[in-house]
Amino acid sequence: MASNAYIIANKRAVSSHPHPHRQPHLPLLLLLFSLLFIGKFDLVSALNYTKYTRKVSNLRLQRIQKHLEKINKPAVITIESPDGDIIDCVHKRKQPALDHPLLKKHKIQRVAPEMPKVKTLKRDEGSGDSKRKEGEDLIWQMWHRNGTRCPKGTVPIRRSTTRDVLRAKSLFHFGKKQSTTINPTRRADAPDVVSSNGHEHAIAYTATSQEVYGAKATINVWDPSIQEVNEFSLSQIWILSGSFDGSDLNSIEAGWQVSPELYGDSRPRLFTYWTSDSYQATGCYNLLCAGFVQANSRIAIGAAISPVSQYDANQYDITILIWKDPKLGNWWMGFGDNNLVGYWPAELFTHLADHATMVEWGGEVVNSRANGKHTSTEMGSGHFAEDGFGKSSYFRNLELVDADNSLSSVHDISTLAENTNCYNIKNSYNNEWGTYFYYGGPGNHPQCP
């Protein structure tokens, strides 16, 4: 089960220019003119973006522009990524998080959180792990390829555009998961509030009775194909607490996703999400609203991951840790080998202000049933779990953080997939990967009509 090491991409000479303030936004007339070319950069995709290039009223454009001015903060320097992304290096104290009403008096945590302790000696996790030389661990996002980095004291934020907002159902829905109700046919001990609105899963989960203070996993990265612009495919960790059939569910989420509606392309991207009211009004993806406090100057949330795994060839994975700082109570996100990305302040939550009651790991897709058929949007690699290493996607080394801030392997997990003819999951255990599972599937095919 050996995996090849991450490859350092060749550096490309793309422009990077410093400027003391955000360049002025386009005047409205120029913005209207630019919308004529909304589809210009989307022609490389087989997805149909036509309905997202409809005529837009001046009033709506003004509202969008006002919102963009709110979330796109002034940059110290701007970096252009080879994939078309614009990465703004924003001063830490100017980032969107601090606009949240609950964070008006919040002081950015300067002292590093206490990392979870490992209860047992760390075994050799070489099987499947990405072996990288010291200093290479962060050369994995597309915008890194020209070698430019954000200056000390700033954080990289992917700039949002008018095109991004116009692909959303509305300005309110931009950057948010849809509010839904729970599927009554789903097992009561494996809840996920988005399961009844065309969302399908293949997940592993913990029992609801235990107190949880964090979770960790290493996640195989692929680029699943997406059938419709408003569908997505993601692989993530959920940290959950609250009422699963009510309106107060708290959720913290992180992983990778392919979402043409959110990003305008079909590349897998690192993402985060949070909500404190069952996805109704609070929270959002990445830094598209106030909340998540970015702390790392080299990791851009929402930026594309590269390279990605190929069928029966090189395999690549990312390691994500989410845990509650035992001293200050904030929920931190770690990436790779103890790289701190940032944190969700405790003030944002009700139930998660204390602890979590459930963790889920796995895949999720949106099935919009266009043309009355099940979507062909893929989960994971697009192959079923039984195909195994190099062919189906995996989560490995599933671990939990307990009340003593100790990290240990998960032993008692359950699995669930709503429609195993479309996507499935199979878990196991060995000494190298600990608790792990393969998951995914192709979606629409003769047994998944």
Side-chain angles (χ1 to χ4, degrees):
M1 299 176 91
S3 167
N4 294 280
Y6 256 80
I7 302 169
I8 298 181
N10 291 328
K11 297 179 181 178
R12 296 187 183 181
V14 294
S15 65
S16 171
H17 53 277
H19 54 86
H21 302 289
R22 155 83 60 225
Q23 293 190 4
H25 289 288
L26 288 172
L28 191 58
L29 286 177
L30 183 56
L31 182 59
L32 283 165
F33 179 77
S34 70
L35 291 176
L36 294 174
F37 302 94
I38 284 176
K40 179 178 178 182
F41 299 104
D42 296 322
L43 295 178
V44 296
S45 171
L47 292 167
N48 181 9
Y49 287 84
T50 304
K51 68 179 180 179
Y52 301 95
T53 62
R54 59 190 180 280
K55 292 183 179 179
V56 184
S57 69
N58 285 2
L59 179 59
R60 188 179 182 201
L61 282 175
Q62 289 173 346
R63 288 173 177 168
I64 291 173
Q65 196 68 9
K66 185 177 180 180
H67 182 72
L68 291 175
E69 289 172 356
K70 184 178 179 181
I71 63 174
N72 288 331
K73 300 299 185 180
V76 175
I77 67 167
T78 290
I79 301 170
E80 297 180 21
S81 175
D83 60 0
D85 281 359
I86 302 297
I87 304 297
D88 290 322
C89 300
V90 176
H91 195 284
K92 283 184 179 180
R93 293 195 297 270
K94 301 290 185 181
Q95 61 181 298
L98 302 180
D99 291 338
H100 197 286
L102 296 175
L103 302 179
K104 291 300 183 182
K105 296 182 180 180
H106 182 83
K107 293 184 178 180
I108 294 178
Q109 183 173 339
R110 296 180 181 275
V111 179
E114 181 183 336
M115 297 295 294
K117 302 177 290 290
V118 179
K119 280 190 172 180
T120 57
L121 290 175
K122 199 73 172 178
R123 60 183 169 270
D124 178 13
E125 293 180 352
S127 179
D129 202 7
S130 298
K131 294 207 179 288
R132 288 164 279 178
K133 297 176 183 177
E134 185 177 356
E136 293 179 5
D137 56 327
L138 296 180
I139 305 179
W140 57 274
Q141 288 192 313
M142 291 283 283
W143 69 281
H144 292 160
R145 289 189 174 183
N146 72 342
T148 306
R149 296 291 182 266
C150 285
K152 185 178 180 180
T154 68
V155 292
I157 301 178
R158 181 181 182 271
R159 187 186 301 180
S160 296
T161 68
T162 302
R163 289 194 296 271
D164 293 335
V165 180
L166 288 176
R167 287 190 301 270
K169 184 178 179 180
S170 69
L171 182 57
F172 173 81
H173 290 91
F174 174 60
K176 288 182 166 61
K177 286 188 176 182
Q178 294 187 28
S179 174
T180 59
T181 56
I182 194 166
N183 184 348
T185 63
R186 187 167 180 178
R187 287 175 51 176
D189 63 344
D192 184 278
V193 295
V194 295
S195 63
S196 63
N197 194 35
H199 292 237
E200 297 186 18
H201 307 78
I203 62 168
Y205 60 95
T206 62
T208 56
S209 58
Q210 61 188 123
E211 293 185 1
V212 181
Y213 293 84
K216 184 177 182 180
T218 296
I219 311 172
N220 200 194
V221 181
W222 294 79
D223 56 349
S225 66
I226 311 297
Q227 179 179 313
E228 302 292 330
V229 173
N230 63 344
E231 296 180 340
F232 65 65
S233 181
L234 59 77
S235 297
Q236 67 168 72
I237 301 173
W238 288 262
I239 308 289
L240 301 161
S241 188
S243 175
F244 295 106
D245 57 356
S247 61
D248 66 341
L249 181 69
N250 289 199
S251 182
I252 290 174
E253 308 168 22
W256 62 262
Q257 70 177 161
V258 176
S259 177
E261 178 178 285
L262 191 59
Y263 305 106
D265 62 24
S266 297
R267 296 180 177 91
R269 295 170 176 271
L270 178 71
F271 83 95
T272 61
Y273 198 90
W274 72 273
T275 180
S276 61
D277 64 354
S278 298
Y279 306 92
Q280 294 182 103
T282 63
C284 62
Y285 281 111
N286 308 333
L287 305 181
L288 296 179
C289 68
F292 184 86
V293 178
Q294 174 93 8
N296 194 293
S297 65
R298 299 184 68 188
I299 298 174
I301 301 172
I305 300 171
S306 178
V308 299
S309 302
Q310 300 294 324
Y311 184 82
D312 209 15
N314 289 8
Q315 298 300 299
Y316 303 99
D317 53 32
I318 58 175
T319 298
I320 290 176
L321 167 65
I322 302 171
W323 85 103
K324 187 177 178 64
D325 181 2
K327 292 183 178 179
L328 297 180
N330 299 318
W331 287 88
W332 276 83
M333 175 181 171
F335 179 88
D337 187 17
N338 299 332
N339 297 295
L340 299 175
V341 179
Y343 63 92
W344 295 268
E347 297 97 312
L348 297 175
F349 303 103
T350 53
H351 300 286
L352 281 175
D354 187 11
H355 61 267
T357 55
M358 175 179 282
V359 173
E360 297 177 356
W361 300 263
E364 177 183 353
V365 300
V366 173
N367 173 27
S368 63
R369 295 198 65 85
N371 304 318
K373 297 180 180 180
H374 192 286
T375 184
S376 60
T377 287
E378 298 172 338
M379 181 189 292
S381 67
H383 292 265
F384 287 113
E386 49 267 28
D387 288 355
F389 185 79
K391 299 174 182 177
S392 62
S393 189
Y394 61 81
F395 276 63
R396 63 180 178 86
N397 300 109
L398 274 58
E399 296 178 289
L400 291 176
V401 180
D402 63 19
D404 293 327
N405 200 33
S406 295
L407 197 62
S408 59
S409 181
V410 181
H411 291 290
D412 298 320
I413 61 168
S414 300
T415 60
L416 180 140
E418 293 99 337
N419 192 343
T420 55
N421 287 329
C422 305
Y423 314 103
N424 70 352
I425 179 170
K426 294 185 182 299
N427 66 299
S428 190
Y429 180 91
N430 66 35
N431 289 333
E432 292 179 340
W433 279 22
T435 297
Y436 69 94
F437 61 83
Y438 289 102
Y439 70 103
N444 181 265
H445 66 103
Q447 282 72 49
C448 177

